[in-house]
Amino acid sequence: MADAILTVNHLNKSYRHQPVLRDVSFECAQGHIVGLVGANGAGKTTIMKAVLGLIKADGDIRITGTTMQFDHHPILTVVGALIEYPSSYPYMSGWDNLRLFADGLDAQARISTVVSALNMSSYIHQKARHYSLGMKQKLGVALAFLNKPQLVILDEPMNGLDPQGTKELRDFILKEKQAGVTFLISSHILSELQKLADDLVVIDHGRIIKKTTMTALLATTDHFLVITTDHDGQAKTILTTAGYQVVAGPIVKVHLAPADQVADVLSVLTSHGIAVTDVQHADADLESTILKLLAVTSA
C-alpha cells in the first residue's frame, strides 16, 4: 500500500513464553479509519502498545516509512494516542493539562479548537480530579489530537461517554479524517465503529483472521425481510411451513437467502389469505457479523 501511514509486519509478542501476538501484519492507509476488532484479550491493546513503542515486540513497525524502535522513537511526534485509561494531573485544570503538552506558537488556538469541538468549555478550567469518567475520557482524547498528529491511535475512545459525547467525538474524528488524519481505533461498541471505520482488522487469540473493508464485510452479511401483516402469528407459521427461516421474536422477520425472491415470499402469504401491509429490508449489523465470524474461526 503506497500511501500507508502505518505498516505492521510479522509482529509477534509473548509473555512468559505464552504467545499473545502471532505474526500480525496490516497497514493503515492515509486518511483512513481502521477498526481493530476482537474479543477482550485478543491482543488489540498489545498491538497498539507495540506500535507506540511502549512494549518490546518482534517484527517490523513503520510510521510514515520510519522504523519504530522500543528505545528510540522520535517519529511519535506525528502520532497522537489514547491507550486504556486516560491519565492527567489531577490537581491541574483540564486546560492546564492540555497546555502542558501543547507545542508550537499556535498552542492556545489549537487547545481552544479541540475544547470547543468536544464541548468541554463548561468544565475545562476545573481541576481534573473533579472530572467524571466521561470528562476524563474527553480530556484524554483532546490530548491525543493536540499537536496535529498524522496518525491517531485510540483504544476504546467511547468509554464513559454519554450519547451526546459519543456523537461529538464521532463527528470530530470524521472531520479530522477528512483533513487527512489516519486512525487506528479499537472499540467494543461496534455500532459506533460501523459508523466510522473504512477498513477492519479482526483479531482472535493474537492472530488476524480477517482484513477487509467495512463495505465488503457488510456486503456479505445476512439479509432479512421484515413484514407487517394483519395476522403476524399465522404469517410466521405459514412461512415456516413453506421452508423459510423465520427469526424468533414478536415481528415477522424472514431470513432472505440469495436464491429467495421477495415476490415469492409475499405470494406465499397472500395465497393463504394473509394481507401484507408493509415490507422492509434489513441487514445484519457489524456486531452480529463479527460474532458470526469469530464463532466460525473458533469452531
Side-chain angles (χ1 to χ4, degrees):
M1 188 182 296
D3 60 346
I5 292 294
L6 170 65
T7 304
V8 177
N9 283 316
H10 308 297
L11 193 64
N12 291 277
K13 176 66 178 177
S14 297
Y15 289 110
R16 297 178 181 176
H17 306 292
Q18 180 66 38
V20 177
L21 299 180
R22 308 163 188 253
D23 199 30
V24 169
S25 298
F26 66 94
E27 296 177 335
C28 297
Q30 182 179 359
H32 278 222
I33 298 174
V34 180
L36 190 58
V37 181
N40 289 340
K44 304 185 299 296
T45 300
T46 303
I47 290 173
M48 292 179 161
K49 286 182 175 180
V51 168
L52 292 168
L54 298 177
I55 60 172
K56 287 185 177 180
D58 296 324
D60 182 62
I61 299 170
R62 300 189 182 198
I63 298 174
T64 64
T66 301
T67 300
M68 276 290 301
Q69 299 177 14
F70 175 69
D71 56 352
H72 183 68
H73 31 72
I75 191 60
L76 289 185
T77 56
V78 301
V79 180
L82 172 62
I83 302 295
E84 295 183 322
Y85 301 102
S87 58
S88 60
Y89 291 97
Y91 289 94
M92 294 172 62
S93 70
W95 182 278
D96 287 338
N97 270 276
L98 293 172
R99 189 171 59 181
L100 189 64
F101 293 99
D103 298 326
L105 297 176
D106 61 342
Q108 293 282 107
R110 282 186 283 109
I111 294 172
S112 295
T113 297
V114 73
V115 165
S116 176
L118 295 174
N119 196 22
M120 301 168 64
S121 300
S122 63
Y123 58 83
I124 194 63
H125 294 289
Q126 296 176 18
K127 289 183 178 179
R129 69 189 182 97
H130 297 305
Y131 284 11
S132 66
L133 176 59
M135 292 175 181
K136 290 177 182 177
Q137 189 73 6
K138 281 189 176 183
L139 182 58
V141 170
L143 284 165
F145 282 99
L146 197 54
N147 291 315
K148 295 183 178 180
Q150 297 179 39
L151 171 67
V152 177
I153 298 174
L154 300 174
D155 187 16
E156 301 292 349
M158 309 297 183
N159 272 359
L161 299 184
D162 60 19
Q164 181 62 33
T166 298
K167 183 181 184 304
E168 290 162 354
L169 178 55
R170 184 200 319 141
D171 291 345
F172 187 56
I173 288 173
L174 291 173
K175 181 180 178 182
E176 291 296 305
K177 172 200 165 182
Q178 291 299 318
V181 178
T182 303
F183 290 87
L184 178 62
I185 301 177
S186 166
S187 178
H188 70 278
I189 308 175
L190 296 184
S191 59
E192 280 302 319
L193 201 58
Q194 184 173 342
K195 299 171 185 176
L196 288 170
D198 301 295
D199 307 308
L200 289 170
V201 176
V202 185
I203 185 168
D204 187 39
H205 293 93
R207 294 185 187 275
I208 291 179
I209 60 171
K210 189 79 171 179
K211 289 186 285 188
T212 185
T213 66
M214 181 69 75
T215 301
L217 184 64
L218 292 180
T220 67
T221 61
D222 292 330
H223 300 276
F224 301 91
L225 208 59
V226 180
I227 307 169
T228 304
T229 74
D230 58 346
H231 292 290
D232 286 353
Q234 292 180 33
K236 291 179 185 179
T237 302
I238 292 167
L239 290 170
T240 301
T241 302
Y244 291 103
Q245 183 182 341
V246 180
V247 179
I251 61 174
V252 183
K253 186 175 183 180
V254 182
H255 181 267
L256 207 59
D260 292 338
Q261 298 295 318
V262 176
D264 294 338
V265 177
L266 301 181
S267 179
V268 169
L269 294 175
T270 55
S271 67
H272 285 78
I274 301 295
V276 176
T277 58
D278 187 46
V279 179
Q280 296 182 14
H281 289 268
D283 295 323
D285 58 17
L286 178 62
E287 181 176 18
S288 60
T289 304
I290 293 295
L291 289 174
K292 185 176 180 181
L293 179 62
L294 292 174
V296 169
T297 57
S298 61

